[in-house]
Amino acid sequence: MTQKSEVPRAASQAEPDCVKDSGVLPSIDRYAHHHKAAVGWLRRSVDHGRGGSCAYYLPLVGWSDPYPETTGYLIPTLLRIGARTDALGDPTVASLADDMGRWLLSIQNENGSWNADLHPPRKAPRPSVFNTGQIVKGLVALHRAQREEEWLSSAVRAVAWLREGMTTEGLWPAGDYRLGGTPSYYTEVLWPMLDVWAETGDERIRASVESALHVILRRACPNGEIQGWGFEPGRPAFTHTIAYTLRGLQECAHRLDAWDTVRESVVPALDVLLRRGELQAGRLPGAFSEEWRADSSYVCLTGNAQLALCLLILHAREPDLRLVNGAARLIDLVCSYQRLSHPLAGMRGGISGSAPLYGAYMRFRYPNWAAKYFCDAIQMLVDTLDRERSG
Amino acid sequence: MKLLLTAGFPRSYHTLALAELLRRRGDEVAGVIVVSVLNLRRARVLLRQRGTRFFATALRRMMGRSPSRAQASSVDPLSAFLKEHCIRPMTLKTWAREHGATYQAVSDINDRRALDLIEGTAPDAVLYGGGGILHEDFLTAARGRVLNAHSGPLPEIRGMNACEWSVLLGLRTVVTIHRIDRGIDTGATILTRAVNPEPEGSLDDLRLRCAVEGVRGLLQATSDLPENWVERPGHHARSRQCFIMAPAVRELTELRLKAQRTRILDD
């Protein structure tokens, strides 16, 4: 099955020497086209989600059940799209975010947590640290957008549950679906905890996050790797979880004003990934084992989009247009695999887990988080290009 | 002086211009090492690095046309340079046959046959005109005397699309003649030559003007024996390497070039 985009001029194949007289970059139009298709796909995932957003679309099988975790972190994306006034904006999606938030409130556990897996869970419900953290991102975003107390009070209960599960060493001995130690990509849990700290001023949250962060920072290796950034110890880490780890560190550093402490754990890894992506024209290997041994048999498209975001965030902190170039190459590669027209609505505008479709990450599936990160990455790239253009 | 030249493809006109001008000056061009483009491994690497757009460029080059003639201004700086010096466009193979130089086609610049040619001819210097990254064996065979014309300032702009990156990052557009060492554009600098953008020129024009200035720079550098070169020592890589520009970033660079041209005209 081919997956190549049918867009007349994909970003990766564009003729570059044709800046419009108005000074608008033609690539921004192309990115808007891809973004619109992905937003359409996300909307369909919500239409089929019975309150949430379906975790994925599986060709020949159809839409999955809704996934509370990714429904949660999809909310900030939809709110941003709803608030934009440019070609990437769509005011109609903001109400979807509100509906999804209410659905999440309705399935929150008594203790403040949310369960692992899709909803309704097929096995005995298990509260999940990681999933709870991702949902908190959505609740905080809704609180900031609407200033309604119910979102924040739900998030506060969730963070209280997260804190209760932390040991004195700073991490979670239970609550991960692998039932092992705490993976390093749990930096993505620490980030929303800091958002709740910012809203409530509860210093206990900040202290818990800081001690957890120090444990993860100690896992950084001299070659740029961070131990435990994969789903399973000893197995190759998808670029998806590598990007989770790095993004979580970047966001925590931003909130704690601790870039000097975190920088040396983030920049070496991003430099390795930037170089690998550039040398392969954006075709970043889907997973890395120890010593950066790459599995190049597929691209983890979600990871590509997420790492593009990490590069753009780094550029925002330490301006270097080489980072923007690397991000654009990663995003262009994802664009080239997005089908802008397809008879199956679940494939039209969606982003597959892997390229090719049979790659190891989310094999044959179109996950909603791939579309989410793709939209986030395009938005940030377009904003960066716009700033550079006018600056 | 006895010199060897390399080229990334058989119709490399800047290498042709360099070879011919060296010959006219009385230097001995002992041979030309040309990396064949008709080679699956290289095609795969280039496709991976540069995408499908590369093949359109390669096809134009194989047909003896400038990389982006369609987008460049009507006067292609490299063709104009050849015309100015009455150099007839031809393949490097033809030039080598006409002037008794050894022509060595290889599938990889570090191929044993390339090393044999260097060791057999013992040139005073090898002038790099393209062909890929040089390995340690190549540099050793050439006794470290490999010169490159890099289309950007060093150490600020290392890597690919150097003249484009100079424009984007607001640095002076220059060609730097430097020794090639094991790093990416980290070798000792011999000289630099300024390249000013033309009032109507595009990025492709600027790139070709850099290629022309690179020929002039290599001629200047080799007007003296390597023992007499005044060099600024090499450097460790301090900034990130530059790579081929993504379309969006290239568009941004076109805008910056336009603004730069406007400023020059206003001045």
Side-chain angles (χ1 to χ4, degrees):
Chain A
M1 186 183 295
T2 63
Q3 271 191 277
K4 287 284 178 183
S5 164
E6 295 92 1
V7 67
R9 271 202 190 285
S12 55
Q13 298 165 336
E15 288 292 341
D17 309 321
C18 48
V19 178
K20 292 176 185 172
D21 289 342
S22 61
V24 174
L25 307 181
S27 284
I28 290 185
D29 286 345
R30 282 193 299 277
Y31 288 134
H33 204 47
H34 285 278
H35 184 268
K36 188 177 179 187
V39 172
W41 186 94
L42 284 170
R43 187 191 291 278
R44 288 190 288 283
S45 84
V46 177
D47 290 344
H48 290 83
R50 301 191 300 278
S53 166
C54 298
Y56 54 80
Y57 177 82
L58 180 59
L60 305 179
V61 175
W63 294 95
S64 74
D65 283 336
Y67 196 14
E69 174 204 332
T70 56
T71 297
Y73 67 36
L74 188 52
I75 289 172
T77 301
L78 296 181
L79 288 174
R80 272 195 303 274
I81 295 168
R84 291 183 78 104
T85 53
D86 62 359
L88 304 186
D90 180 351
T92 63
V93 300
S95 64
L96 296 182
D98 188 84
D99 294 345
M100 288 154 58
R102 296 199 182 283
W103 177 72
L104 289 167
L105 294 187
S106 73
I107 60 168
Q108 187 173 19
N109 293 328
E110 280 296 312
N111 62 8
S113 69
W114 277 268
N115 294 326
D117 304 324
L118 308 188
H119 186 82
R122 292 185 185 162
K123 296 177 275 187
R126 285 178 298 118
S128 163
V129 168
F130 189 78
N131 297 16
T132 298
Q134 305 323 296
I135 292 168
V136 169
K137 289 179 190 170
L139 300 177
V140 172
L142 281 165
H143 170 71
R144 287 177 177 166
Q146 301 176 356
R147 288 286 146 198
E148 285 180 18
E149 202 49 41
E150 59 183 333
W151 306 122
L152 186 60
S153 67
S154 169
V156 167
R157 282 171 55 219
V159 170
W161 178 79
L162 288 172
R163 282 194 58 247
E164 277 168 25
M166 295 174 92
T167 62
T168 47
E169 286 79 39
L171 295 175
W172 291 271
D176 175 46
Y177 64 90
R178 294 178 308 129
L179 302 175
T182 304
S184 297
Y185 62 81
Y186 273 43
T187 53
E188 285 263 345
V189 180
L190 305 178
W191 150 23
M193 289 175 74
L194 286 173
D195 279 342
V196 173
W197 161 68
E199 293 300 320
T200 61
D202 183 347
E203 289 299 325
R204 292 171 304 172
I205 300 173
R206 180 192 168 115
S208 301
V209 168
E210 279 181 333
S211 60
L213 197 58
H214 285 129
V215 174
I216 292 172
L217 286 173
R218 281 201 297 273
R219 296 176 179 177
C221 306
N223 67 356
E225 293 173 337
I226 298 177
Q227 287 171 354
W229 63 8
F231 278 129
E232 294 175 65
R235 302 272 300 161
F238 293 118
T239 51
H240 169 57
T241 55
I242 290 174
Y244 266 163
T245 308
L246 298 174
R247 175 80 185 276
L249 289 173
Q250 286 177 307
E251 297 291 348
C252 288
H254 173 66
R255 283 155 181 77
L256 291 169
D257 195 18
W259 179 239
D260 289 345
T261 312
V262 170
R263 187 187 188 283
E264 66 191 40
S265 301
V266 171
V267 175
L270 281 179
D271 274 333
V272 171
L273 294 160
L274 170 70
R275 186 178 164 75
R276 296 298 287 259
E278 287 278 23
L279 287 172
Q280 307 279 337
R283 189 173 291 279
L284 193 62
F288 289 91
S289 308
E290 277 181 21
E291 299 297 331
W292 293 106
R293 281 194 308 276
D295 182 348
S296 302
S297 63
Y298 66 98
V299 180
C300 170
L301 295 179
T302 318
N304 254 43
Q306 289 173 266
L307 284 166
L309 280 163
C310 293
L311 293 173
L312 292 168
I313 290 167
L314 180 58
H315 166 74
R317 183 169 280 279
E318 298 181 355
D320 184 347
L321 285 165
R322 297 168 182 91
L323 298 166
V324 179
N325 193 66
R329 300 275 274 190
L330 295 176
I331 293 169
D332 286 350
L333 194 277
V334 183
C335 288
S336 75
Y337 280 97
Q338 185 191 32
R339 285 171 162 261
L340 295 173
S341 62
H342 193 280
L344 291 176
M347 291 173 71
R348 188 168 58 244
I351 306 295
S352 57
S354 292
L357 199 53
Y358 53 79
Y361 184 69
M362 291 300 289
R363 187 167 281 138
F364 299 123
R365 289 167 169 79
Y366 288 76
N368 68 355
W369 57 96
K372 172 238 163 32
Y373 284 114
F374 179 62
C375 288
D376 288 349
I378 286 186
Q379 287 168 37
M380 192 158 189
L381 177 61
V382 165
D383 291 344
T384 305
L385 290 170
D386 253 343
R387 266 196 306 277
E388 291 293 337
R389 182 179 62 85
S390 50
Chain B
M1 195 170 343
K2 189 198 276 189
L3 298 157
L4 264 183
L5 273 54
T6 78
F9 47 98
R11 278 189 186 269
S12 169
Y13 285 163
H14 65 277
T15 307
L16 172 70
L18 182 60
E20 178 58 19
L21 293 175
L22 285 167
R23 186 192 69 80
R24 288 182 193 173
R25 194 172 70 182
D27 290 317
E28 180 190 349
V29 178
V32 187
I33 301 166
V34 178
V35 180
S36 168
V37 285
L38 300 172
N39 137 28
L40 197 61
R41 189 166 152 263
R42 187 172 180 222
R44 207 170 51 216
V45 169
L46 289 170
L47 178 64
R48 212 163 44 205
Q49 281 184 354
R50 305 183 186 198
T52 49
R53 191 168 183 262
F54 162 74
F55 283 103
T57 310
L59 198 64
R60 283 195 202 106
R61 280 174 165 174
M62 285 170 75
M63 291 163 65
R65 296 175 60 187
S66 305
S68 299
R69 198 181 192 130
Q71 293 154 20
S73 67
S74 55
V75 185
D76 159 4
L78 189 53
S79 301
F81 183 73
L82 291 175
K83 201 169 173 183
E84 179 193 333
H85 291 277
C86 303
I87 300 171
R88 185 165 45 92
M90 64 179 87
T91 64
L92 289 165
K93 188 175 187 175
T94 306
W95 183 88
R97 195 174 54 228
E98 284 183 6
H99 299 291
T102 305
Y103 178 85
Q104 184 64 69
V106 290
S107 57
D108 183 319
I109 190 80
N110 301 293
D111 192 293
R112 186 66 245 170
R113 286 173 299 169
L115 304 190
D116 287 345
L117 180 60
I118 299 169
E119 285 161 0
T121 52
D124 292 306
V126 176
L127 305 186
Y128 180 82
I133 291 176
L134 303 180
H135 293 174
E136 180 77 42
D137 288 350
F138 189 108
L139 297 174
T140 305
R143 295 173 292 155
R145 293 170 172 185
V146 186
L147 289 192
N148 178 40
H150 175 74
S151 302
L154 291 175
E156 294 91 343
I157 306 283
R158 302 181 306 112
M160 305 176 205
N161 284 184
C163 88
E164 290 89 336
W165 279 103
S166 306
V167 173
L168 181 64
L169 300 181
L171 298 168
R172 64 198 192 282
T173 40
V174 300
V175 164
T176 307
I177 307 299
H178 69 100
R179 281 188 197 248
I180 294 182
D181 65 5
R182 277 181 293 176
I184 303 287
D185 299 326
T186 52
T189 295
I190 314 282
L191 59 93
T192 57
R193 293 177 69 96
V195 184
N196 292 320
E198 285 284 301
E200 293 301 320
S202 67
L203 264 183
D204 286 314
D205 279 310
L206 185 62
R207 188 180 181 78
L208 290 171
R209 295 184 65 233
C210 285
V212 169
E213 212 52 49
V215 172
R216 291 194 182 111
L218 287 169
L219 284 167
Q220 185 185 341
T222 53
S223 62
D224 211 345
L225 289 167
E227 291 75 18
N228 301 329
W229 290 344
V230 180
E231 303 180 34
R232 200 177 69 210
H235 54 90
H236 292 295
R238 278 183 304 214
S239 56
R240 291 188 175 94
Q241 190 182 333
C242 297
F243 291 94
I244 293 167
M245 279 186 167
V249 177
R250 194 178 164 85
E251 288 164 11
L252 190 61
T253 311
E254 286 280 7
L255 269 184
R256 297 231 168 137
L257 180 65
K258 208 183 268 183
Q260 201 177 324
R261 283 197 308 252
T262 310
R263 272 201 305 275
I264 290 170
L265 286 174
D266 289 349
D267 290 348

